[in-house]
Amino acid sequence: MRVIRHDRNHPFALKMRELPGFDKLASDEKVLNYEVHLCACGLSRHKPFCDGSHAKTSGEVPGKLYAYTIDGKGREIQTTDDLKALPNEYEG
Ligand code: FES
């Protein structure tokens, strides 16, 4: 088991226009205005892109730990040691 902690509950917006030097590669306004959203919550099933699964984290309380199944079902845990006692569905 590998435990990865994600604190962010919304995606990173990657704007093509803001990438250094991208304006030299593309001049089409449609391409320059293109924006992708990268998953930062860890729950997307289409990583690295956000698929909206971060909505499942909306009830999280800052400073608390949560474990999620691959299907995005979450529950609060006290420490990472609690992961050992969770059902197998919590192993990714
Ligand atoms: S940030 Fe992870 S699914 Fe949106």
Side-chain angles (χ1 to χ4, degrees):
M1 176 187 302
R2 184 173 194 184
V3 177
I4 301 171
R5 180 176 168 167
H6 294 267
D7 291 331
R8 194 173 165 103
N9 64 359
H10 59 281
F12 290 106
L14 182 61
K15 299 172 183 169
M16 297 300 133
R17 180 179 298 281
E18 294 175 1
L19 293 176
F22 194 79
D23 59 334
K24 292 177 179 48
L25 297 172
S27 57
D28 184 331
E29 279 299 307
K30 192 173 176 181
V31 173
L32 287 170
N33 289 329
Y34 194 71
E35 185 176 313
V36 295
H37 294 94
L38 302 175
C39 176
C41 76
L43 297 178
S44 175
R45 297 191 78 161
H46 303 286
K47 291 181 194 75
F49 303 106
C50 171
D51 68 357
S53 294
H54 60 268
K56 295 171 185 162
T57 69
S58 65
E60 289 185 354
V61 176
K64 295 201 173 194
L65 291 175
Y66 297 86
Y68 284 87
T69 65
I70 194 75
D71 295 326
K73 187 172 77 178
R75 67 191 286 184
E76 184 183 337
I77 58 173
Q78 298 305 309
T79 70
T80 53
D81 287 340
D82 293 346
L83 293 169
K84 297 172 192 158
L86 292 175
N88 287 345
E89 64 183 314
Y90 282 85
E91 290 192 24

